[in-house]
Structure formats: C-alpha cells, structure tokens
Amino acid sequence: MSVKERKERERAGRERLIVATARQLAEQHGWDAVTTRRLAESIEYSQPVLYSHFRGKREIIGAVALEGAAELAVALRAATAAAAGPRARVTALARGYLDFAARNPAVYDALFQLDGGLAYAQEDTPAPLKDAFAALLECLGEVAGEGVHPGLFTELFWASLHGIVTLTRAGRLPPADTEERVRLLVARLAVL
C-alpha cells in the first residue's frame, strides 16, 4: 500500500469517527450538545483536524443525514420485503418509517428537521436522499390510484408519516393511537 493510499484510508477513518461520534452525542444529548469542541475532545483530535474534514456542524449534520438516508432506505425495503399484497406492504412501510424515526431521533432530525446543507428534491440531491425517496416510491407508486402522479402521492403519504412522527414526538398526538393512525392512513389514502 502506498503512503497516499494509507493517508486516504486514515482520513476516511477519521471522517467516519467524527460522524459516528456526532451521531452518538446527538442521540444521547441532542444536537445542541454536538459542538466542535466536544467532538474534538471525544475523538481525541484537535479542532483544526475536525475542520480539515468538515467546515462546521452544518456539514457534520449533512454527513449524518446522508448516512441516515441510506439506513432509512434499507429499513423501508426490509420492512416491505416480506409483506404479501399492497395493503400489507404499505402498512409495513408506514410502520417501518415510524419505527426508524423512533429508534433514530437525532438521525431523523438531521434528515428532516435540521439544516445539513443538502439539496432535497432537486437535480443535485445526493444519491442517498434520492434512494430513500425511491424506497418510499417503490411501494407507494403501486397504490397511488388511477390518474394520480405516483411521486406526488408518495410525497403526500410521506408528509403524513412525517407529521405523525413530529406531532407525536412533540407530545401533540398520543403515542397510543399510532397504530390506528397507520390503519386510517393506509385505508383512506392508498388505492388498494
């Protein structure tokens, strides 16, 4: 292995460590606790080393969001893979989405609540974000209904799921009714 390859591997390893540590701090203490000073202390590197990888917290949030988008796509496809029939797939998709958000609140915030400097729904949207949306569209496109644009239907369904996540987390919706919300969402929106 050349010196250049070793240095690139070490740099990539430091980036993964920074992102993993930021994610861990955010999951444990919230995003306000993620500062370059605290990250530097946690990973035992100087702040200038962090800045040599990321210009600041915004880029770190973006890196966590991209990692989270890839994980969300995998989780959604896994949730729907074993489901038989459109209703079961859409229900599994909704549950998978809500479960992912509940298990990964800081990642969810990085994806959909915080400014990570990422472009959404544009030509230059990063591939992991496009793939997460594609995972939704793969399932929801088949139940959009006659004459309904599958992408728009997917956006509407996704917005409904996002609303359930954010309103439940904020204490505006009782968590005990989440399963009934999923049932109503699937029954009323999806053409099955």
Side-chain angles (χ1 to χ4, degrees), residues 25-94:
L25 285 171
E27 291 292 0
Q28 291 174 350
H29 306 288
W31 278 104
D32 287 342
V34 180
T35 64
T36 53
R37 173 175 284 181
R38 192 164 186 186
L39 274 173
E41 289 171 1
S42 296
I43 64 173
E44 299 177 346
Y45 283 106
S46 67
Q47 284 180 301
V49 169
L50 261 68
Y51 286 117
S52 73
H53 292 275
F54 299 98
R55 284 181 280 190
K57 184 175 176 177
R58 182 178 187 221
E59 283 190 4
I60 294 169
I61 290 169
V64 170
L66 291 176
E67 189 176 271
E71 292 171 9
L72 176 61
V74 168
L76 294 177
R77 288 183 176 114
T80 59
R87 180 179 302 275
R89 274 191 298 281
V90 174
T91 301
L93 176 88

Side-chain angles (χ1 to χ4, degrees), residues 106-123:
V107 171
Y108 192 86
D109 287 346
L111 271 164
F112 303 119
Q113 302 289 103
L114 302 173
D115 179 10
L118 303 172
Y120 285 77
Q122 298 176 22
E123 287 295 319

Side-chain angles (χ1 to χ4, degrees), residues 79-104:
T80 59
R87 180 179 302 275
R89 274 191 298 281
V90 174
T91 301
L93 176 88
R95 287 181 183 140
Y97 185 94
L98 297 174
D99 289 346
F100 179 88
R103 283 191 324 272
N104 305 284

